[in-house]
Amino acid sequence: MTEGNFVDYVKIHVSSGNGGSGSSHLHREKYITKGGPDGGDGGRGGHVIIRGSKNLWTLFHLKFKRHVRAEHGGNGRKQRSSGSDGSDEYIDVPLGTVIRDTETQEIIHEITEEGKEYVIAEGGKGGLGNWHFKSSTNQTPRYSQPGIEGKEVDITLELKVLADVGLVGFPNAGKSTLLSVITAAKPKIADYEFTTLKPNLGIVQYRDFKTFVVADIPGIIEGAAEGKGLGYRFLRHIERNSTLLFLIPADAPDVKKQYEILVDELRRYNPEMLDKDRLIAISKSDMLDTELKAELKKELDEKLEADYLFISSVAQQGLAELKDRLWEMLNKPPV
């Protein structure tokens, strides 16, 4: 799927169906002069239901669907026949979709399981027919209940992709190159900043047919909180990741400073992001000779508190160790 087809944010107006009206019919038959009330109940209006689907990974199919309306319930009929229930309307979404109230921005629900359903707008109940109101003192009621109107609500659907490892780094740090090397993903790669404009997912094939999922998001820069670069728009895609892999190029002027800037931007976006496991990968390390690598390692051991390792996606260096470290972090027993 191309970048233009990746949609992770849509607004939709949903309307459930109105309940059908009850019938106030009076029974009439050739040899029955006073058959009495026999009006049936109205049918229920259709629900609007949001359903999780593992076959989807984007909200593109909803990009141009601004209104979703369920069917109205049918009216009651004679001989106590109930009206038909309105058909429910389903909105299929990828796993990891958050449903918000557009007006208040409050989270209504999250869809994280295959086939999981959530009724976002209940259909109106059908009205009772006049036979319900028959009594000894009112044997011929000529009235019935109207159906209850359905609900209308404006919702916002936000996709937070589900992945095990999230790649964090400045633009042009080598995230897309790494993803293309350790997975079968084919992200756009070029020698300029902000090559990646949409998140990319890749499945890493590990030993003994084991796998884990890596998410590459567009690069963030210092001042993203103020809207610089691409801002925080895509950071929600790594909120669900259990492990964050920071990529910092070996030719960076100050590795420690770049790491601290990235961590600070994550903290300003959501302080809970700092509770995740972190690993630093010094990318493009094939540019360093043995002496420079030893010098940089000595400097990082003194200044950097987090774990780190040297890798090179182009030269295929350190990638096996990187996979081992990530797998170990993803599968460590809970404390």
Side-chain angles (χ1 to χ4, degrees), residues 23-28 32-40 77-81 129-135 138-144:
S23 172
S24 56
H25 186 267
L26 298 175
H27 185 70
R28 293 288 183 266
I32 301 177
T33 56
K34 295 182 179 180
D38 71 343
R77 299 183 295 274
K78 61 183 180 180
Q79 295 181 338
R80 297 188 183 181
S81 295
N130 63 346
W131 72 274
H132 285 280
F133 305 105
K134 181 177 66 174
S135 67
N138 185 12
Q139 297 184 5
T140 314
R142 299 178 183 273
Y143 54 85
S144 59

Side-chain angles (χ1 to χ4, degrees), residues 188-220:
K188 182 179 179 181
I189 300 172
D191 190 22
Y192 55 84
E193 295 185 349
F194 295 111
T195 307
T196 303
L197 297 176
K198 303 288 182 180
N200 292 300
L201 287 179
I203 300 176
V204 177
Q205 301 290 338
Y206 191 60
R207 297 188 178 95
D208 301 325
F209 304 102
K210 300 181 178 116
T211 61
F212 57 91
V213 181
V214 176
D216 167 30
I217 67 165
I220 59 176

Side-chain angles (χ1 to χ4, degrees), residues 88-279:
D88 296 332
E89 189 71 23
Y90 286 88
I91 303 175
D92 289 322
V93 297
L95 305 186
T97 300
V98 176
I99 310 166
R100 291 182 183 272
D101 185 302
T102 301
E103 186 176 350
T104 64
Q105 287 300 302
E106 291 183 3
I107 294 178
I108 301 173
H109 196 69
E110 297 184 27
I111 303 293
T112 57
E113 300 175 16
E114 163 69 13
K116 186 176 182 179
E117 297 181 1
Y118 181 77
V119 180
I120 190 65
E122 291 186 352
K125 293 183 178 179
L128 298 177
N130 63 346
W131 72 274
H132 285 280
F133 305 105
K134 181 177 66 174
S135 67
S136 59
T137 57
N138 185 12
Q139 297 184 5
T140 314
R142 299 178 183 273
Y143 54 85
S144 59
Q145 284 184 336
I148 297 176
E149 292 186 355
K151 296 180 180 179
E152 295 189 25
V153 62
D154 291 309
I155 61 171
T156 299
L157 301 178
E158 291 183 359
L159 174 62
K160 297 181 180 180
V161 297
L162 299 175
D164 300 304
V165 179
L167 299 182
V168 182
F170 282 85
N172 214 20
K175 300 188 300 298
S176 297
T177 304
L178 175 63
L179 188 72
S180 69
V181 171
I182 63 175
T183 74
K186 302 299 180 186
K188 182 179 179 181
I189 300 172
D191 190 22
Y192 55 84
E193 295 185 349
F194 295 111
T195 307
T196 303
L197 297 176
K198 303 288 182 180
N200 292 300
L201 287 179
I203 300 176
V204 177
Q205 301 290 338
Y206 191 60
R207 297 188 178 95
D208 301 325
F209 304 102
K210 300 181 178 116
T211 61
F212 57 91
V213 181
V214 176
D216 167 30
I217 67 165
I220 59 176
I221 63 174
E222 186 175 10
E226 287 76 41
K228 292 183 180 180
L230 296 176
Y232 284 164
R233 180 181 171 188
F234 298 108
L235 279 182
R236 64 174 175 270
H237 292 298
I238 58 173
E239 279 188 287
R240 299 184 189 277
N241 305 156
S242 60
T243 300
L244 300 180
L245 177 61
F246 291 80
L247 251 69
I248 301 175
D251 59 348
D254 190 332
V255 174
K256 180 175 182 292
K257 183 177 180 181
Q258 284 204 6
Y259 172 69
E260 290 176 345
I261 291 173
L262 292 171
V263 170
D264 184 59
E265 291 297 334
L266 294 182
R267 179 191 59 77
R268 295 171 72 180
Y269 171 73
N270 182 355
E272 294 181 2
M273 300 272 272
L274 302 186
D275 296 332
K276 301 179 182 295
D277 292 332
R278 287 176 259 169
L279 177 64

